Amino acid sequence: MVNMMTPAGDFGVYIHWPFCLSKCPYCDFNSHVRHAAIDEARYVRAFAAEIASTAARIPGRTVSTIFFGGGTPSLMQPATVGAILDAIGKHWAIAPDVEITLEANPTSVEATRFKGYRAAGVNRVSLGVQSLDDAALKELGRLHTAQEALDAVAVARSIFERYSFDLIYARPRQTAEQWSAELRRAIGEAAEHLSLYQLTIEPETPFAALHKAGKLVVPNEDIARELYDVTQEICAAAGLPAYEISNHARPGAECRHNLVYWRGHEYAGIGPGAHGRLNINGARIATETERRPELWLMRVESLGHGLIVDEALTPGEQADEYLLMGLRLAEGIEPSRYTSLSGRDLDLERIATLREQGAVEHTAAGRLRVTMSGFPVLDAVVADLAA
Ligand SMILES: C[S@@+](CC[C@H](N)C(=O)[O-])C[C@H]1O[C@@H](n2cnc3c(N)ncnc32)[C@H](O)[C@@H]1O
Ligand code: SF4
């Protein structure tokens, strides 16, 4: 599986903290609620062991981004975050301008830890605000009010030079007028980055059961499209254009960590249920660890890693992944990189048809990208172009 075409680019380390105080009914992330105290020291040892075993496979890298995701990483003690950062620094060089993000839930308790995270080295936080409407927050099963979330944003602003927050839209009964007002208010609180996700009904979540029973009605395709369009207009006018289908930033303030995924660069996935992509001897290795926290711990303690998937991607798989991830970005993809990965050109006839439909376009530099009107049907565009 020789692939000389994966450009070096940024190298990222993803750390997954798999615990939450309660499970939100829409969420299918690898998150677990535990009523007994979490033995953080034991987890630190396991994270350090997995970092060491990964670094032994890909030595000599310089880490340019680190992302603590979850679950709810803001439930970790700052000392735990610091110890994990120390372990990363022991095995790899750290770039002087490294971006270190921590995902936080916006409750008052969690905001009290922000100073500690800053002292540990975190320089960016991403807050799960989700909505500025208390009734919507309740329906989403959130444990915070809108005011509490705004207070947490204010604390973040006072401590971190960079912060972002997430909102979920296309919620039950939401109209374009309501969403526009909420989004404008949110932009007033935002700095350089916002993640705006359309509510997705994920299989096997409580929301999926309610949806199936007709008790949770989400906006139909036309309304969802209207909501998407007002999102783009309002954000672009406020200087926060979409650089990815759900992510908006002032130019230069994009989340470098997520760009590592979307641009197909290299990243190590550490912790329960984390995914990684390692470039080893010309091969692109997909890794995935055991999802269940206690089983992951036991696996790491006995084997030194929690891997349950560790396999080289075929050229076709690499090329499809490049399309799937790269076409999410406003900058699009380089057709020549697709060709080098897959050994064949993109189908010019299919591209011509998609261009006629206004779903894709070429940039002056020859990149292929999805247009604003193509983004709402991105899955269909990718399916059309993939092998
Ligand atoms: C790992 S999650 C959560 C981070 C943090 N635990 C929180 O809830 O604030 C990252 C983001 O994905 C989004 N998300 C999760 N499930 C979603 C769904 N079913 N539909 C749309 N967005 C979702 C939320 O905006 C969330 O903040
Ligand atoms: S949305 Fe966040 S807090 Fe809620 S269950 Fe998922 S990861 Fe946990």
Side-chain angles (χ1 to χ4, degrees):
M1 241 62 68
V2 178
N3 160 30
M4 305 308 293
M5 292 316 298
T6 302
D10 278 345
F11 168 59
V13 179
Y14 176 77
I15 304 286
H16 191 78
W17 186 254
F19 303 111
C20 291
L21 286 182
S22 68
K23 185 85 193 174
C24 304
Y26 54 85
C27 176
D28 79 339
F29 281 82
N30 185 32
S31 62
H32 306 261
V33 178
R34 296 286 179 266
H35 297 293
I38 308 294
D39 183 349
E40 294 195 28
R42 190 173 168 202
Y43 275 91
V44 165
R45 287 193 294 276
F47 279 113
E50 208 169 51
I51 288 163
S53 62
T54 309
R57 303 178 72 190
I58 48 166
R61 305 293 193 267
T62 297
V63 180
S64 40
T65 75
I66 300 171
F67 194 101
F68 290 87
T72 305
S74 53
L75 295 175
M76 297 163 101
Q77 296 303 319
T80 299
V81 172
I84 294 171
L85 291 174
D86 286 347
I88 295 172
K90 223 171 106 186
H91 295 282
W92 288 299
I94 306 286
D97 63 343
V98 64
E99 173 189 277
I100 306 179
T101 306
L102 182 132
E103 246 174 19
N105 279 30
T107 72
S108 49
V109 181
E110 290 167 293
T112 60
R113 298 194 195 105
F114 288 0
K115 268 204 175 118
Y117 296 139
R118 182 74 196 94
V122 172
N123 55 24
R124 182 177 183 274
V125 279
S126 172
L127 293 144
V129 170
Q130 319 307 2
S131 170
L132 295 179
D133 178 287
D134 283 337
L137 286 170
K138 210 164 172 200
E139 192 170 16
L140 290 170
R142 302 294 294 179
L143 299 178
H144 53 87
T145 61
Q147 190 53 53
E148 231 185 318
L150 291 174
D151 292 346
V153 169
V155 177
R157 184 185 300 126
S158 71
I159 295 175
F160 296 96
E161 350 25 315
R162 299 182 64 195
Y163 69 90
S164 175
F165 56 87
D166 299 353
L167 295 175
I168 295 180
Y169 71 102
R171 303 186 306 252
R173 303 173 302 283
Q174 196 174 33
T175 65
E177 289 69 35
Q178 288 166 342
W179 169 234
S180 302
E182 189 177 358
L183 180 56
R184 287 202 170 91
R185 214 176 133 213
I187 287 173
E189 301 288 336
E192 53 163 38
H193 192 285
L194 269 181
S195 300
L196 305 170
Y197 300 108
Q198 292 208 17
L199 177 64
T200 311
I201 304 297
E202 300 289 356
E204 285 167 47
T205 57
F207 265 23
L210 287 171
H211 186 246
K212 194 166 169 226
K215 293 181 183 153
L216 185 134
V217 181
V218 288
N220 65 28
E221 222 173 87
D222 291 343
I223 299 175
R225 178 63 198 255
E226 196 187 348
L227 292 166
Y228 177 81
D229 288 345
V230 298
T231 305
Q232 306 316 310
E233 276 162 34
I234 293 174
C235 288
L240 288 162
Y243 67 98
E244 190 264 351
I245 184 161
S246 306
N247 283 277
H248 298 254
R250 303 204 185 284
E254 298 84 3
C255 171
R256 277 173 64 194
H257 188 83
N258 286 337
L259 284 175
V260 167
Y261 303 149
W262 297 320
R263 288 180 173 160
H265 293 160
E266 186 178 38
Y267 55 98
I270 309 290
H275 292 230
R277 290 288 180 274
L278 312 180
N279 301 335
I280 303 177
N281 296 332
R284 177 94 167 152
I285 311 288
T287 67
E288 200 178 318
T289 55
E290 165 61 47
R291 284 170 70 87
R292 290 160 293 182
E294 293 75 13
L295 291 185
W296 173 83
L297 261 186
M298 290 196 288
R299 223 178 155 84
V300 178
E301 286 168 353
S302 58
L303 302 172
H305 64 78
L307 294 172
I308 52 162
V309 174
D310 188 16
E311 55 196 30
L313 297 176
T314 64
E317 286 167 340
Q318 290 182 55
D320 284 350
E321 190 164 277
Y322 179 55
L323 271 188
L324 188 74
M325 301 305 273
L327 286 178
R328 298 172 64 111
L329 288 169
E331 70 184 23
I333 61 153
E334 260 175 70
S336 60
R337 187 165 158 208
Y338 177 89
T339 306
S340 317
L341 288 170
S342 69
R344 65 177 188 86
D345 289 337
L346 281 162
D347 187 325
L348 294 180
E349 260 176 52
R350 287 190 209 166
I351 292 180
T353 311
L354 288 166
R355 277 179 68 148
E356 273 163 33
Q357 293 165 349
V360 300
E361 63 190 10
H362 283 102
T363 66
R367 296 178 71 90
L368 179 72
R369 69 175 177 208
V370 174
T371 61
M372 277 304 146
S373 56
F375 269 127
V377 290
L378 177 65
D379 291 350
V381 174
V382 172
D384 209 9
L385 289 176

